[in-house]
């Protein structure tokens, strides 16, 4: 048999084997991974034959591996849409011309299975929160629940958009979100604690917006359980939020809330595993020390005296307070922080 004939027979056999291997099998939907603007992976399904949904055009991969054999990938048909997510800062958002119309379908779109549809709905939620807060208010419970669902989504682009939405809603509704805060707060602390910087930084900005917008006293009550959370990163983020809220209380607010529970919370974090938590605790201790001195003017006055100026060395009121409210070891840790600072 000639070499040409032999090649034709081999090619025919290979074609039949491939045909037999693929017979009776449904064509699998292919997934193409793209890189987003911040290097996150975005997976796009190929457009279906019936044209229900089109995806963006991407370069054809050189080959696909199937059943242990290397096959040339079929060409991907051009798509009509472009899957892009634009992260617009709050100051650049424009008012909705058809706010009432957008509101009628908002909940349905926020719960859509198409993530691009959800992203667009989240942007509309931001615009409604900023420009039409009263229009969104009656549906706040349902909207917050759906925003939390998007925050929990593993797709980074969708999660970031939901975090930005949360920030705008905190600014718009402030204490009106207190009753709905618990499940959202946990997700924000978890997202701020994860390794993906793209999401982590946005979650931190959302936490800052939360502690800036919500009244500090109820915010401290919400944060208190997470300061002792089993996840050390969650504890660290909660400690930072605690410090942000306490710094907004002022001297009168600290006195009203109670110096004792605050110093106990701060002292518990001074020996935490993570430096971030310890640093937040040190800042909180210094703020409480400053507030204590303003509440007790004699405390600062007594510190300035040396033992040579007094017949008997008088105790420092701050030291006495710490020793009376904390264990000796913990009190010494707190006093070391304030002593170094002064």
């Amino acid at each position: 048999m000639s070499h040409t004939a032999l090649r034709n027979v081999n090619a025919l056999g290979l074609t039949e084997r491939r045909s037999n291997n693929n017979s009776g099998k449904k064509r699998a939907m292919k997934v193409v991974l793209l890189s987003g603007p911040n290097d996150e992976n975005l997976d796009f399904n190929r457009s279906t034959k019936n044209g229900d949904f089109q995806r963006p055009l991407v370069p054809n991969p050189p080959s696909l591996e199937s059943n242990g054999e290397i096959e040339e990938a079929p060409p991907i048909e051009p798509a009509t849409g472009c899957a892009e997510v634009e992260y617009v800062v709050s100051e650049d958002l424009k008012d909705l011309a058809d706010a009432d119309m957008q509101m009628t379908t908002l909940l349905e779109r926020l719960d859509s299975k198409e993530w691009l549809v959800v992203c667009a709905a989240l942007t509309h939620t931001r615009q409604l929160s900023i420009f039409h807060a009263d229009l969104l208010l009656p549906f706040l419970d349902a909207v917050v629940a759906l925003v939390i669902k998007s925050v929990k989504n593993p797709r980074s682009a969708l999660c970031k958009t939901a975090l930005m939405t949360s920030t705008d809603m905190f600014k718009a509704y402030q204490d009106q979100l207190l009753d709905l805060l618990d499940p959202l707060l946990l997700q924000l602390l978890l997202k701020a604690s994860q390794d993906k910087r793209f999401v982590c930084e946005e979650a931190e900005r959302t936490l800052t917006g939360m502690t800036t917008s919500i009244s500090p006293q109820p915010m401290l009550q919400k944060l208190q359980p997470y300061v002792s959370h089993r996840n050390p990163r969650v504890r660290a983020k909660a400690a930072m939020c605690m410090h942000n809220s306490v710094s907004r209380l002022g001297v009168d607010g600290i006195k009203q809330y109670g110096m004792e529970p605050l110093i106990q919370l701060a002292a518990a974090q001074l020996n935490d595993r993570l430096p971030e938590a310890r640093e937040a605790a040190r800042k909180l201790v210094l703020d409480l020390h400053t507030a204590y001195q303003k509440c007790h003017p004699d405390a600062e006055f007594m510190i300035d005296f040396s033992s040579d100026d007094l017949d008997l060395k008088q105790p420092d009121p701050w030291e006495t307070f710490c020793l009376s409210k904390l264990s000796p070891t913990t009190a010494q840790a707190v006093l070391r922080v304030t002593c170094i600072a002064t």
Side-chain angles (χ1 to χ4, degrees):
M1 184 180 293
S2 65
H3 293 293
T4 303
L6 181 59
R7 283 197 299 270
N8 291 338
V9 170
N10 289 338
L12 179 59
L14 179 58
T15 303
E16 290 176 350
R17 287 197 301 273
R18 288 181 178 173
S19 177
N20 291 335
N21 289 338
N22 294 330
S23 62
K25 293 183 179 179
K26 295 181 179 179
R27 183 178 181 182
M29 180 178 291
K30 291 183 172 59
V31 175
V32 181
L33 295 179
L34 298 181
S35 179
N38 291 276
D39 294 329
E40 78 278 14
N41 287 334
L42 306 176
D43 55 300
F44 298 112
N45 299 329
R46 290 189 59 191
S47 57
T48 57
K49 287 187 176 181
N50 58 15
D52 288 341
F53 194 79
Q54 294 289 337
R55 296 294 186 177
L57 176 63
V58 295
N60 292 331
S63 63
L64 294 175
E65 187 172 350
S66 175
N67 298 326
E69 298 177 352
I70 303 299
E71 299 180 356
E72 192 68 21
I76 298 177
E77 297 296 330
T80 58
C82 184
E84 294 182 357
V85 177
E86 186 178 3
Y87 306 110
V88 184
V89 296
S90 302
E91 293 75 13
D92 293 340
L93 285 173
K94 306 299 182 182
D95 193 1
L96 287 169
D98 54 347
D100 292 324
M101 181 69 69
Q102 295 293 341
M103 191 64 239
T104 58
T105 61
L106 182 67
L107 296 180
E108 180 182 354
R109 289 182 289 125
L110 285 173
D111 200 25
S112 173
K113 294 182 179 180
E114 294 292 345
W115 72 275
L116 289 174
V117 174
V118 180
C119 279
L122 287 169
T123 300
H124 291 155
T125 303
R126 297 177 64 194
Q127 294 168 296
L128 288 167
S129 298
I130 295 172
F131 300 105
H132 305 276
D134 293 339
L135 192 62
L136 192 62
L137 185 60
F139 307 95
L140 205 56
D141 294 19
V143 170
V144 169
L146 292 171
V147 170
I148 294 172
K149 180 180 177 181
S150 294
V151 170
K152 295 166 66 175
N153 194 288
R155 190 183 296 274
S156 299
L158 181 55
C159 178
K160 179 181 174 73
T161 306
L163 291 169
M164 297 176 74
T165 304
S166 301
T167 303
D168 289 330
M169 292 184 72
F170 282 132
K171 293 178 182 178
Y173 298 103
Q174 301 181 357
D175 288 2
Q176 291 175 299
L177 289 172
L178 273 172
D179 293 337
L180 309 172
L181 186 60
D182 289 333
L184 178 57
L185 176 57
L186 176 59
Q187 292 304 317
L188 295 179
L189 292 171
L190 290 172
K191 293 298 180 180
S193 305
Q194 71 174 38
D195 294 327
K196 185 172 287 188
R197 187 176 178 182
F198 174 66
V199 173
C200 178
E201 291 180 347
E202 192 62 49
E204 288 180 344
R205 285 191 285 270
T206 303
L207 287 171
T208 300
M210 176 190 69
T211 54
T212 302
S213 301
I214 295 180
S215 300
Q217 290 192 0
M219 190 72 253
L220 288 171
Q221 295 288 347
K222 296 289 186 181
L223 287 167
Q224 189 168 345
Y226 299 104
V227 178
S228 56
H229 196 273
R230 61 184 179 181
N231 186 329
R233 293 186 178 183
V234 170
R235 290 200 305 269
K237 300 301 179 182
M240 293 175 59
C241 292
M242 290 280 293
H243 171 254
N244 292 340
S245 293
V246 170
S247 64
R248 294 184 60 217
L249 280 175
V251 175
D252 293 337
I254 290 176
K255 187 175 181 181
Q256 182 179 359
Y257 188 88
M259 181 73 70
E260 180 178 350
L262 290 175
I263 195 63
Q264 290 173 347
L265 286 172
Q269 299 298 312
L270 285 176
N271 295 320
D272 196 89
R273 288 169 49 190
L274 292 185
E276 191 177 10
R278 297 196 298 269
E279 180 61 24
R282 281 193 289 268
K283 291 179 179 179
L284 182 52
V285 166
L286 293 176
D287 286 350
L288 295 176
H289 182 227
T290 301
Y292 185 88
Q293 288 179 328
K294 291 180 179 179
C295 291
H296 304 80
D298 58 323
E300 186 175 5
F301 179 76
M302 294 300 299
I303 294 174
D304 294 334
F305 280 101
S306 65
S307 58
D308 296 334
D309 298 326
L310 298 172
D311 295 335
L312 295 174
K313 186 177 180 179
Q314 299 186 21
D316 173 18
W318 171 250
E319 180 179 354
T320 303
F321 170 76
C322 291
L323 290 172
S324 65
K325 305 301 180 182
L326 305 169
S327 67
T329 304
T330 306
Q332 290 301 322
V334 170
L335 293 172
R336 278 195 298 271
V337 172
T338 54
C339 183
I340 293 173
T342 56

